[in-house]
Amino acid sequence: MPDLRQTRKKVKITLAALVLLDVVALGVYFSPLVGSQRSRGEQLSQLWAELQQKTQEVEPLRGLDKKIPVARKEIDDFYKDRLPSEESTISTEIGKLAQQSGVKIGNIKYVEKDAESVGLKPVVIEAGLSGDYLQLVRFINSLERDQLFFMVNSVVLGGEQNGVVRLELKMETFIKTTTGAA
């Protein structure tokens, strides 16, 4: 016959452990560490809002691995199509645009700067131009839309005589060097 005292002792120990576990669970449930149901709901809402914000911040980076090769190809095309490899191309293009728009170039100065590490040599161009207002507007517009890349940095009105407007134009472009990309 089984020993009832041993079994009672085991049952008492098991019941005591279960009561202790219930007391600990109630303590955790009502503890300020866990908080009330409303505070947990507020915390959940706050964490959800943070998740939404972080998702929006990361959205532009999705598919970045596919965007990088496309951007590299666009950069190579830009270098190939829009940047000259010879200095004479710049002056020829400016002369052509001036002739097409009816602008007269009084003086023009090219200042080449040191080549950059990306294989480009900046060229600053300062030009004295004259013509009527509409011709000058057409010239500047054609510079900005030209196949060669020109950045117009400043336009200074030099004066007007008999309907002829004088401008001092400062612009910049780049020449490809042999040690660069594209």
Side-chain angles (χ1 to χ4, degrees):
M1 185 139 128
D3 189 10
L4 251 14
R5 281 187 232 167
Q6 284 271 359
T7 307
R8 269 191 203 159
K9 190 175 182 183
K10 288 180 184 177
V11 168
K12 284 181 183 179
I13 291 173
T14 304
L15 285 174
L18 288 174
V19 168
L20 181 64
L21 184 63
D22 285 345
V23 169
V24 170
L26 284 172
V28 168
Y29 183 72
F30 292 111
S31 162
L33 296 175
V34 175
S36 67
Q37 184 178 0
R38 185 174 65 168
S39 69
R40 287 191 305 264
E42 289 172 0
Q43 184 180 17
L44 179 64
S45 297
Q46 178 187 4
L47 290 173
W48 180 256
E50 285 181 33
L51 175 66
Q52 295 299 322
Q53 179 186 3
K54 298 290 184 191
T55 303
Q56 287 177 348
E57 289 175 3
V58 173
E59 188 63 33
L61 301 177
R62 290 188 192 266
L64 190 61
D65 57 333
K66 294 176 182 95
K67 293 177 184 177
I68 290 174
V70 171
R72 282 195 178 124
K73 183 183 179 331
E74 289 174 351
I75 290 170
D76 290 343
D77 290 346
F78 181 85
Y79 274 48
K80 185 178 87 180
D81 299 337
R82 308 245 0 238
L83 298 176
S85 54
E86 300 171 356
E87 295 89 355
S88 62
T89 307
I90 297 169
S91 59
T92 302
E93 191 68 19
I94 291 174
K96 181 182 85 171
L97 295 174
Q99 183 180 15
Q100 288 173 350
S101 59
V103 170
K104 293 187 179 14
I105 300 175
N107 60 337
I108 192 162
K109 180 173 130 182
Y110 300 92
V111 178
E112 291 184 24
K113 296 187 176 180
D114 293 335
E116 297 176 351
S117 61
V118 293
L120 298 176
K121 184 188 300 185
V123 178
V124 176
I125 305 161
E126 296 177 9
L129 308 170
S130 62
D132 68 31
Y133 177 78
L134 190 55
Q135 291 171 330
L136 291 168
V137 169
R138 278 192 200 126
F139 176 74
I140 293 172
N141 193 9
S142 65
L143 269 177
E144 292 177 336
R145 295 175 188 257
D146 193 60
Q147 179 67 25
L148 286 184
F149 180 69
F150 291 103
M151 290 185 304
V152 176
N153 294 335
S154 67
V155 178
V156 178
L157 181 63
E160 178 188 0
Q161 283 184 334
N162 301 328
V164 176
V165 179
R166 296 189 192 285
L167 287 182
E168 294 296 322
L169 185 67
K170 192 171 196 179
M171 58 190 145
E172 188 172 6
T173 190
F174 299 89
I175 297 174
K176 291 184 283 193
T177 61
T178 56
T179 60

